[in-house]
Amino acid sequence: MTDVSQARKQSSASARGEGFDLAKLLLEGRAFFALIVIIVVFSILSPYYLSVANFLTMASHVAIFGILAVGMLLVILNGGIDLSVGSTLGLAGVVAGFLMQGVTLTWLGVVLYPPVWVVAVIACMLGAGVGLINGVLIARFKVPAFVATLGVMYMARGLALLMTSGLTYNNLGGKPELGNTGFDALGFNRLFGVPTGVVVLVVIALIGSIVLNRTAFGRWLYASGGNERAAELSGVPVKTVQVSVYVLSGICAAIAGLILSSQLTSAGPTAGTTYELTAIAAVVIGGAALTGGRGNIRGTLLGAFVIGFLSDGLVIIGISSYWQTVFTGAVIVLAVLLNAVQYRRRSKLPASTGGQPTSQQRGKAEPANPAQGKTAR
Amino acid sequence: MIPAADTAPANGDAVLSARNIVMSYGGVHALKGVNFDIHRGKVTTLFGENGAGKSTLMKILSGVVTPTSGDIVLDGNLVSFSSSSDARDRGISIIHQELSLAPNLSVRDNIFMGRELRTRTGLDFAEESRQARALMADLEEDIDPMTLVEDLRLGQQQIVEIARALSVDSRILIMDEPTSALSATEVEVLFKVIRDLTSRGVSIVYISHHLEEALQITDYAVVLRDGAITATAEARDIDLEWIVRNMVGENFDLGSPPTGHAFGEVALSIEDVSVIDASGSGYSVVDHLSLDVRAGEIVCIYGLMGAGRTELLEAVAGRMPMAGGRALLEGEDVSRLSIAQRIAKGLVLVPEDRQRDGLVQTMTVGRNLSLASIEAFAKGLFLSRSRERELVEDSIRKVTVKTAGGNAMIGSLSGGNQQKVVIGKMLTTNPKVILLDEPSRGIDVGAKAEVFRLLSERAAQGLAVVFSTSEVNECLSIAHRIVVMRRGRISAEFGASATKEQIMAASGEAVVA
């Protein structure tokens, strides 16, 4: 028996030898390599794919998912999930559309036409409000994140449908004499040739990256996602962090809603349906762990681009939308499989000493998975 | 005292034997070549301190875990168990120390869990109920088989656990701390059942921290220390003193109380603190307890599992709510403050379970070390990487963490070094009072000595140190004062010159005349 275990040790040691570096590189950079493969394959299959114009169009599609995904990443890093972002996106768009039509204050007998920047701020505050509801339900009332955001998802969608009776606001242009023009600037227009949505995505990603890597909040988020109990005992305000990530995710959803309605020049109550799933997929493809504590902005952006460039490519080469769905699903499953491989490797490499024998010997409550370490909510 | 290597008796009456069992978790050897015999139709008791490897050995003999190396001999034949149900099919069952019941199911369903009685069309509930009722009658316990386990008190749950093991008609029954939650009458009944079983030829392995109680029932005594058998004897030849001597062994020098500094003012004052059990049973795990600790003083809290040590420390640190009383830090009431505020004031806790409560496994050594003192390297809104690096390097040096550097993953460290990171993380906040819950749990003796040296150094600089332990030797190392907890209260206080026997007697572990 000793021989067997020694042989096993040797074989696993050699498996980690030099020859494994390429595999490791491919594994850790998988989202990046997947994106390159997608670009190369579609460039070969279609002459229209590889062009600046097409890339900018695709990027403006990616912007919506990318912004949602950055917000989703914060939530997932915390070990949660936010299913309400698609509905929040729709609701924010509808509220913006409603405000652009003018607000009639009957008791004053006036119609208010707020300028576009006010509309945008109100929409973002609305998104923050939806996120706050999620956060309070989850952090304060211990509702499981999945259920809380599922409920809020339905409520937000229902409110959006109620506000318009299911109809769509098609006139978002505003009038110069009312001083409320400029909704186009939020997503439809281009800044130095780049769609505004893409610019916004870049700005949000940069801010997100700085927050995650250079601020105390970022450190708190990684710590409480990695092990909430340890973080709390180290003085991390875990509840505040938890509420904040949902608020930030709600704001990201509202921004995406504004950009999408500007791109489409219309605000419909069903906009953004199932977008939350795409955002989760982007985060997962980007290598984040759904158990929390692992993931970064770079990976998430790559994930969003992989999904966006793949589905647009499939449209360009004329594959049926049913097949697109199948392909997207396959990519997600593959990504999760590779995540599992990566994290298993990482947890195997260090010799996990100490904790295991103690809990075995002393029979104290043993965490189901020390690496996970979060209490059930 | 018989050395481990010589204790391989080829006894004809051994029904189940362990031969040269080695069990390693990572680099830690929980069992180092153990030979252990279970005598046919007798009670064999395994004695040993927490962490000696008793439960690990029992888990191996009952097929719960597979040993790293070594053989198991059943009735003279070499066997290997693929699972606990494989072992159960061969007539070996185990009553685990930690209850393994499903609280949401009834007593009957728990007893027959995994081996439900079947009729042609489904389950034979009537027969299951009848057998469950009979088992309860045997154990003289008035529990209806349809009661949900979560509605039973802890002792009754333990009875159900015992009933489940009895229901399989095993030839070998392993009881790992079966009496920890039982009343004296219930223990009497259990002993009656045990005698009845042995008279029918069932072999029993018994493990208990209540040494006297175990000595009453056992036929053979085996002592395990640090993963090796240190002594075996027949019960009629031995006494409590023999057991304690072999369990505790010679002192490894873990240091002595630091001298040469005067104690300061009272740093931590625990006043009349009560804590209600978190499981909602309404039972007070800490019962109107008061304790003062002065700056520069090292206090050891000794107690058995369930004495309330963890709950006391967690309540003082803000992790568990206090049901009554208050905690004062340098005269200021901190009972209403959050954990973060208490850390800022200088009151910190190093938790018992470092994997679950101490470390963030997804982060590096450095980020774990700096987690509790982020303010110290924040510059306005942003964190200063250079200042963090200084802080981490300084911390690694001070607590002597053996690591490739701050950027190494925390999982790459040994248990002792991981523990140093958890302690170092809290020391980096420059506390006035540090509470450590079993700081030596699961670390080797060298790392233990280093941890204790670190604590005595800091105490000499004026830090008030309170640490809990369930190993007597550790109380008799650096502590100026030893406080023994029993059932949520302080049962005795000793100076550094106390004896092992005094301490163990006060904890309820053994009453040695």
Side-chain angles (χ1 to χ4, degrees):
Chain A
M1 236 181 137
T2 318
D3 293 342
V4 175
S5 65
Q6 275 173 355
R8 204 181 297 137
K9 253 178 229 158
Q10 276 168 1
S11 72
S12 65
S14 66
R16 269 182 245 137
E18 309 228 325
F20 221 63
D21 280 355
L22 180 67
K24 190 182 166 205
L25 188 69
L26 282 173
L27 187 64
E28 289 188 350
R30 60 188 177 274
F32 182 67
F33 293 115
L35 186 61
I36 290 176
V37 168
I38 286 169
I39 291 173
V40 169
V41 168
F42 285 112
S43 302
I44 295 167
L45 290 176
S46 161
Y48 308 109
Y49 194 82
L50 192 67
S51 70
V52 174
N54 181 49
F55 270 41
L56 285 176
T57 311
M58 290 196 300
S60 69
H61 297 159
V62 169
I64 305 294
F65 298 128
I67 292 168
L68 288 180
V70 169
M72 187 68 76
L73 171 70
L74 303 181
V75 174
I76 286 178
L77 278 177
N78 192 247
I81 196 86
D82 188 352
L83 298 178
S84 68
V85 292
S87 299
T88 309
L89 180 154
L91 182 61
V94 165
V95 166
F98 169 78
L99 293 174
M100 293 306 291
Q101 313 308 309
V103 186
T104 313
L105 298 177
T106 37
W107 70 93
L108 288 174
V110 293
V111 183
L112 285 180
Y113 290 94
V116 169
W117 70 268
V118 173
V119 172
V121 168
I122 291 175
C124 287
M125 282 168 60
L126 176 86
V130 174
L132 186 66
I133 294 172
N134 282 326
V136 169
L137 282 173
I138 293 159
R140 177 77 185 79
F141 295 101
K142 312 277 180 210
V143 182
F146 191 96
V147 181
T149 58
L150 183 73
V152 169
M153 169 182 112
Y154 276 106
M155 289 193 283
R157 185 66 72 197
L159 284 176
L161 288 163
L162 272 175
M163 277 184 69
T164 63
S165 311
L167 301 176
T168 298
Y169 294 111
N170 287 315
N171 179 16
L172 302 176
K175 293 199 181 73
E177 63 268 32
L178 298 171
N180 67 344
T181 52
F183 200 78
D184 287 347
L186 296 176
F188 184 83
N189 286 358
R190 297 193 168 206
L191 206 65
F192 309 114
V194 180
T196 327
V198 180
V199 177
V200 174
L201 172 64
V202 170
V203 170
I204 287 181
L206 279 176
I207 294 173
S209 197
I210 290 169
V211 166
L212 283 183
N213 293 316
R214 302 302 297 272
T215 67
F217 179 80
R219 193 63 64 81
W220 288 341
L221 176 52
Y222 276 109
S224 56
N227 186 347
E228 191 182 16
R229 298 167 66 103
E232 192 183 11
L233 278 178
S234 304
V236 172
V238 288
K239 297 287 171 216
T240 314
V241 171
Q242 200 169 27
V243 173
S244 306
V245 293
Y246 289 96
V247 170
L248 291 171
S249 173
I251 293 174
C252 285
I255 293 172
L258 291 169
I259 294 171
L260 185 66
S261 21
S262 173
Q263 282 179 357
L264 301 173
T265 63
S266 71
T270 58
T273 309
T274 74
Y275 279 24
E276 62 279 347
L277 302 180
T278 314
I280 294 168
V283 174
V284 169
I285 291 173
L290 285 177
T291 45
R294 287 184 173 125
N296 56 46
I297 296 277
R298 190 185 56 218
T300 297
L301 283 188
L302 282 169
F305 275 93
V306 164
I307 291 195
F309 278 25
L310 176 71
S311 54
D312 280 7
L314 292 168
V315 171
I316 288 171
I317 63 170
I319 285 187
S320 90
S321 69
Y322 306 143
W323 273 114
Q324 289 173 35
T325 314
V326 174
F327 275 122
T328 311
V331 168
I332 294 168
V333 171
L334 189 68
V336 177
L337 277 176
L338 290 173
N339 280 0
V341 171
Q342 186 183 2
Y343 293 135
R344 203 173 321 125
R345 277 168 53 86
R346 202 178 288 173
S347 62
K348 261 187 185 174
L349 287 179
S352 130
T353 50
Q356 228 183 343
T358 354
S359 41
Q360 295 274 0
Q361 284 166 0
R362 306 195 180 180
K364 288 278 169 92
E366 190 180 1
N369 175 2
Q372 195 171 331
K374 290 185 73 77
T375 47
R377 285 197 293 268
Chain B
M1 186 169 133
I2 308 158
D6 295 347
T7 49
N11 271 350
D13 75 330
V15 54
L16 181 68
S17 303
R19 290 275 163 266
N20 287 315
I21 295 284
V22 173
M23 187 73 203
S24 312
Y25 297 97
V28 175
H29 297 286
L31 296 174
K32 306 162 182 165
V34 168
N35 290 300
F36 178 67
D37 288 324
I38 300 176
H39 300 268
R40 195 182 306 274
K42 300 286 184 193
V43 180
T44 312
T45 299
L46 189 57
F47 294 99
E49 291 194 314
N50 281 334
K54 302 185 300 282
S55 294
T56 309
L57 181 58
M58 291 308 109
K59 282 180 179 165
I60 289 169
L61 290 178
S62 59
V64 178
V65 293
T66 314
T68 312
S69 70
D71 298 322
I72 299 170
V73 180
L74 180 64
D75 294 322
N77 304 316
L78 214 59
V79 290
S80 69
F81 303 125
S82 58
S83 66
S84 60
S85 57
D86 181 22
R88 196 173 63 196
D89 292 343
R90 296 172 196 244
I92 303 166
S93 57
I94 180 165
I95 300 168
H96 287 289
Q97 182 178 13
E98 65 272 37
L99 296 176
S100 51
L101 301 172
N104 56 331
L105 297 182
S106 68
V107 169
R108 178 198 71 195
D109 294 347
N110 268 288
I111 290 176
F112 291 95
M113 197 195 302
R115 40 176 212 92
E116 292 78 5
L117 304 181
R118 291 174 192 282
T119 62
R120 216 174 311 149
T121 49
L123 295 184
D124 192 349
F125 289 123
E127 177 61 17
E128 285 189 357
S129 295
R130 198 193 59 75
Q131 290 190 19
R133 202 164 281 122
L135 283 165
M136 288 303 140
D138 283 349
L139 290 164
E140 298 180 24
E141 200 72 27
D142 184 26
I143 302 173
D144 183 76
M146 294 314 292
T147 317
L148 294 186
V149 162
E150 63 192 358
D151 294 336
L152 299 177
R153 63 183 172 77
L154 198 59
Q156 289 177 317
Q157 294 187 8
Q158 205 157 25
I159 294 284
V160 174
E161 184 89 34
I162 292 167
R164 180 162 73 181
L166 295 179
S167 72
V168 289
D169 284 331
S170 17
R171 296 187 298 141
I172 300 167
L173 183 56
I174 298 169
M175 300 180 161
D176 192 352
E177 295 261 9
T179 60
S180 57
L182 297 190
S183 68
T185 355
E186 284 167 332
V187 172
E188 282 300 309
V189 175
L190 178 67
F191 281 7
K192 213 158 73 186
V193 172
I194 290 177
R195 287 192 195 100
D196 182 45
L197 287 170
T198 49
S199 70
R200 287 194 272 136
V202 176
S203 316
I204 310 268
V205 181
Y206 192 84
I207 295 179
S208 177
H209 267 292
H210 298 271
L211 308 181
E212 283 196 316
E213 188 187 284
L215 205 49
Q216 274 177 39
I217 189 74
T218 196
D219 299 305
Y220 292 91
V222 178
V223 184
L224 192 62
R225 187 173 75 222
D226 288 333
I229 303 279
T230 54
T232 55
E234 283 198 48
R236 61 169 178 266
D237 299 336
I238 60 165
D239 56 10
L240 270 173
E241 202 268 321
W242 180 91
I243 299 173
V244 172
R245 194 179 62 229
N246 284 297
M247 263 173 67
V248 177
E250 306 309 316
N251 282 354
F252 182 91
D253 188 17
L254 290 172
S256 53
T259 52
H261 67 281
F263 295 156
E265 298 289 303
V266 172
L268 175 69
S269 184
I270 299 169
E271 292 183 352
D272 204 31
V273 165
S274 295
V275 180
I276 303 290
D277 181 30
S279 68
S281 62
Y283 164 74
S284 290
V285 277
V286 178
D287 191 10
H288 298 282
L289 188 146
S290 298
L291 179 69
D292 282 351
V293 185
R294 308 176 79 92
E297 189 182 17
I298 303 178
V299 174
C300 167
I301 301 181
Y302 179 81
L304 294 181
M305 209 181 280
R309 292 168 298 167
T310 298
E311 290 81 0
L312 172 68
L313 295 181
E314 293 198 341
V316 172
R319 172 69 172 284
M320 274 183 103
M322 287 181 193
R326 56 185 194 155
L328 306 177
L329 182 70
E330 295 186 329
E332 185 190 350
D333 189 353
V334 294
S335 314
R336 307 238 168 275
L337 302 184
S338 69
I339 297 176
Q341 286 168 321
R342 291 184 213 209
I343 293 173
K345 299 257 180 209
L347 173 62
V348 300
L349 169 71
V350 173
E352 178 180 25
D353 187 332
R354 65 175 165 273
Q355 304 293 341
R356 195 184 58 185
D357 300 333
L359 298 170
V360 182
Q361 297 286 352
T362 50
M363 302 203 309
T364 59
V365 171
R367 290 191 170 190
N368 268 290
L369 271 172
S370 66
L371 183 59
S373 25
I374 288 178
E375 292 76 24
F377 57 94
K379 254 195 302 198
L381 205 56
F382 299 106
L383 302 179
S384 157
R385 286 182 180 174
S386 57
R387 258 197 259 173
E388 180 181 14
R389 195 161 45 238
E390 277 169 36
L391 186 105
V392 166
E393 280 169 7
D394 186 50
S395 195
I396 288 177
R397 204 168 42 244
K398 276 187 185 153
V399 298
T400 62
V401 181
K402 289 184 196 71
T403 170
N407 289 327
M409 286 308 289
I410 191 72
S412 68
L413 301 189
S414 71
N417 281 303
Q418 289 188 0
Q419 183 69 349
K420 285 188 208 160
V421 169
V422 182
I423 295 172
K425 170 174 74 177
M426 298 327 297
L427 286 179
T428 307
T429 64
N430 290 320
K432 294 168 182 142
V433 177
I434 186 165
L435 312 170
L436 305 102
D437 196 0
E438 296 238 22
S440 62
R441 217 181 120 180
I443 64 179
D444 63 49
V445 86
K448 248 181 225 184
E450 281 182 51
V451 164
F452 283 162
R453 181 186 49 75
L454 183 71
L455 293 175
S456 30
E457 276 172 19
R458 295 298 288 252
Q461 293 160 19
L463 178 67
V465 177
V466 180
F467 72 94
S468 78
T469 181
S470 44
E471 292 183 35
V472 185
N473 274 345
E474 292 180 10
C475 293
L476 296 171
S477 56
I478 58 166
H480 296 111
R481 189 149 56 103
I482 298 157
V483 171
V484 181
M485 267 186 89
R486 182 181 186 180
R487 298 200 181 130
R489 290 167 180 262
I490 293 178
S491 62
E493 271 196 55
F494 300 104
S497 57
T499 65
K500 289 169 199 167
E501 286 75 15
Q502 283 178 319
I503 297 168
M504 286 169 89
S507 73
E509 191 160 9
V511 184
V512 181

